[in-house]
Amino acid sequence: VQLQASGGGLAQAGGSLRLSCAASGRTFSRYSMGWFRQAPGKEREFVAVIQWTGDISYADSVKGRFAISRDNAKNTVYLQMNGLKPEDTAVYYCAAGSQWKMLLRMSNADEYVYWGQGTLVTVSS
């Protein structure tokens, strides 16, 4: 599975951006998909996951502001980011687990097998 993230850019605090992650292949619906982010000088952190079953979970820091979704017909997972804050500034990565696997330790990057290249989100105050 190859993943291509896009949609990053510059936003003002309180603004919105929508990230997309396009996946190769014809079995996209079998993969649980997650978003992580890494700010300068910090470790990569979990943002959100949408399991292949459709179950969704969020990090507490983005709950109520971000929304993850997927379109299996388009092989794409999205991250709608509203109410952006300067602390949301980071490189955002999409990732996929193994086929048919529920990611129980969803915040653990080791659960994910495939990673995209990242897209930079910068939020100005």
Side-chain angles (χ1 to χ4, degrees):
V1 177
Q2 292 183 318
L3 304 175
Q4 180 76 35
S6 62
L10 177 65
Q12 292 188 331
S16 299
L17 285 173
R18 188 176 81 155
L19 306 183
S20 299
C21 176
S24 64
R26 295 178 291 179
T27 58
F28 175 75
S29 63
R30 302 176 185 179
Y31 294 87
S32 296
M33 303 295 299
W35 286 97
F36 283 73
R37 66 186 182 186
Q38 187 166 18
K42 295 188 176 181
E43 293 186 354
R44 191 170 298 192
E45 66 172 357
F46 168 76
V47 175
V49 66
I50 182 165
Q51 308 278 3
W52 67 268
T53 58
D55 293 347
I56 290 173
S57 297
Y58 297 98
D60 287 344
S61 59
V62 306
K63 203 172 293 183
R65 300 188 297 124
F66 291 10
I68 190 171
S69 62
R70 65 190 299 159
D71 185 334
N72 289 335
K74 295 183 177 180
N75 283 12
T76 302
V77 62
Y78 303 98
L79 186 68
Q80 178 67 44
M81 305 186 295
N82 300 323
L84 284 164
K85 303 176 180 180
E87 52 262 44
D88 294 320
T89 295
V91 177
Y92 283 72
Y93 299 90
C94 59
S98 301
Q99 284 195 60
W100 302 124
K101 182 179 180 180
M102 289 288 288
L103 301 175
L104 300 181
R105 297 181 300 154
M106 60 193 73
S107 63
N108 188 334
D110 292 339
E111 288 280 279
Y112 300 80
V113 177
Y114 307 98
W115 291 83
Q117 85 290 359
T119 185
L120 177 63
V121 172
T122 304
V123 183
S124 62
S125 57

